[in-house]
Amino acid sequence: MVKPFKDLCFLCEELSKLSKRTSMANLVSNFIKDLDIEELEIASRMIIGEIFPPWSQLEFDISGATIWKIMKELTGITDEEFIDFFNETGDLGSCVKEIFEFKGKVQTKLYQFKPLSITDVNEHLKELASIIGEGSRKRKEKLLKALLERASPIEAKYIVKFIIGERRHGFGEGLMIESISKAFNVPSEIIRRANMFLCDVGKLAALTKKYGSQYLRTINVTLFHPVKPMLADDAENVLDALKTLGGRAAFEIKPDGARVQIHKKGEKVKIFSRRLTDVTNSLPDIVEMVNRKVKLKEFIIEGEVIVIDENRKPLPYQYVMRRFTRVKDTDKMMEHYPAKLYVFDILYADGRSLINKSYENRRRFLENKIEESIVMPRIVTSDPNKAEIFFKYSINSGHEGLVAKRLTSTYTPGIRGKHWLKIKENPKTLDLVIVAAEYGYGYRFKWLSDYHLAARDEETGEYLVVGKTFTGLTDKEIIDLTSKLERLAIAKRGRTIIVQPKIVLEIAFSEIQKSPNYRSGYALRFARIKRIRSDKTPEEADTIQKIIRLYEDQFKRKGKIL
DNA sequence: CATAAGACTCG
DNA sequence: ATCGCAT
DNA sequence: ATGCGATAGAGTCTTATG
């Protein structure tokens, strides 16, 4: 039976009203129970807002601004009206719905009455995402306009939400697994396990309904089908990590680079990023390296890629990103920013899955088959002092810290368990001044939840922005700060207000970067709020001169390119 | 042809 | 990535 | 204590626009 798309929209509406996880899972479980296989696959993806699996290479490439433009053409709404609608609703999807409802009264022939089915919408979205090449922007807009013209207000709301990736109904992958479990009476642990290899909730639901738990158990790693990477939890220090891991553990270097999963069979090599996108084309030197240094015909290995200078010192993370995002002229990039690979795990070798082997087993296998120069350095110890010395060594070599690993642990894809533990230095902090604030999105749209942080210039007395942050405060603190900031407002620009520089925050960060975007020339990476410094005046805040000093200090450990 | 805006990557 | 909140 | 979803940054490349 063909299910109307409208029903799925109503389901999402219900979900956003609920807060109890179990009742949300029950609702979805009932909805998906009697869908046919094809619709089940599509609907499961839609409900959690992941329309395409991560490696499918299908992308919408459409932003909120484009939606705005299309809405103007479709309804004749003015910019001022649009902003009013947006400010009232707080999210673009609801805003589109309201506009359609309002304008629908004026222009009744705005949408046709042949109802959209779930499959219809999916076909349209797929087509939309596959448009590439010259003039693609125009063709995409035309197609989307046609689709929205057919949609009722509530349908338009969710089409827009899917396209711009705005979910915010509190129902994600984890709850979908619970729902599939309930709907088809299969233990959630089995579904969870299968999901690690499939990385696609749609396929997961379809296979569960079609074949049941016996089949799900047989799913395993497959070449050229990326697996969700196993994740590490945080540990305070090496002692803490040793305690959690049972007194003895492996400690590997943690470089400040990007994670890769490399698959090879015959001549074919593919490199996947942590989010499972195919980055092979950007990293030809890594492809060449594995061809030379891995002595296996078929394999899946995992490692970290960094970029080094002529002294083989790690360059700042910015350069790693340059390599990852570049697809043209990769030859020149290879010369200027040579990449280095550190392999730390092996999941598959010559026809055999290794993920159920222990860490020590996998590591020994890896050391036998891979040239030492690209193997991640590590030690195994039960002595906290030795671990601490290795940690210091890692930091002083320009790396981020260590990852401690339980020797007996198997590879658990997609899970952030207590088997791998990240150990980093305590973050540095700065006291910075709020000079502007933005109203947030979703449930924070009435609160000033994003703060522009500035350092004082000793020479001019001016406050220079060095970053923004939105995280670290509780909801209550955000509400309090909102009213304080509103009283300090000087000017308003859209959803941003400029405020008098009065409030000082203690900000933790991971690194200082050279910024092309800020007038100050510097930006903080991963800025987050530690606490509100009500005891400090803006004059006592840290200065841009101090930030420049800290920036230069970073090169005592890291490599630098002139 | 230069600049600006948009999209997409990552940790 | 980091965080707070729910459980 | 743990899992989950929400929040959204900075940098860089690509496309659109005047």
Side-chain angles (χ1 to χ4, degrees), chain A residues 80 136 218 228 316 373 444 468 487 532:
Chain A
E80 291 73 20
S136 59
T218 67
K228 292 196 177 202
S373 63
R444 310 217 286 203
K468 295 196 255 180
R487 284 198 295 272
I532 304 174

Side-chain angles (χ1 to χ4, degrees), chain A residues 164-213:
Chain A
I164 65 165
E166 178 187 76
R167 291 187 286 120
R168 300 185 177 103
H169 50 31
F171 192 91
E173 194 180 81
L175 284 170
M176 184 50 92
I177 286 167
E178 292 305 315
S179 308
I180 296 171
S181 159
K182 277 197 179 116
F184 307 113
N185 240 323
V186 173
S188 63
E189 277 325 301
I190 292 174
I191 299 181
R192 203 172 289 275
R193 182 186 165 279
N195 184 46
M196 297 165 185
F197 306 115
L198 293 168
C199 310
D200 173 358
V201 162
K203 277 273 178 299
L204 183 72
L207 291 173
T208 307
K209 174 159 189 174
K210 213 165 163 186
Y211 302 116
S213 68

Side-chain angles (χ1 to χ4, degrees), chain A residues 99 480 529:
Chain A
I99 293 170
D480 290 350
I529 303 164

Side-chain angles (χ1 to χ4, degrees), chain A residues 25 64 155 279 384 397 428 495:
Chain A
E155 289 171 330
V279 290
S397 316
K428 296 210 163 39
R495 290 176 64 78

Side-chain angles (χ1 to χ4, degrees), chain A residues 12 16 18 37 50 67 84 89 133 137 170 179 240 268 276 362 413 426 494 544 556 560:
Chain A
C12 292
S16 41
L18 295 173
I37 297 288
E50 280 164 22
I67 304 283
D84 285 348
T89 52
R137 187 107 274 132
S179 308
D240 200 51
K268 190 171 157 198
L276 311 183
R362 301 200 306 278
N426 280 334
I544 189 74
K556 287 178 181 161
K560 194 171 186 175

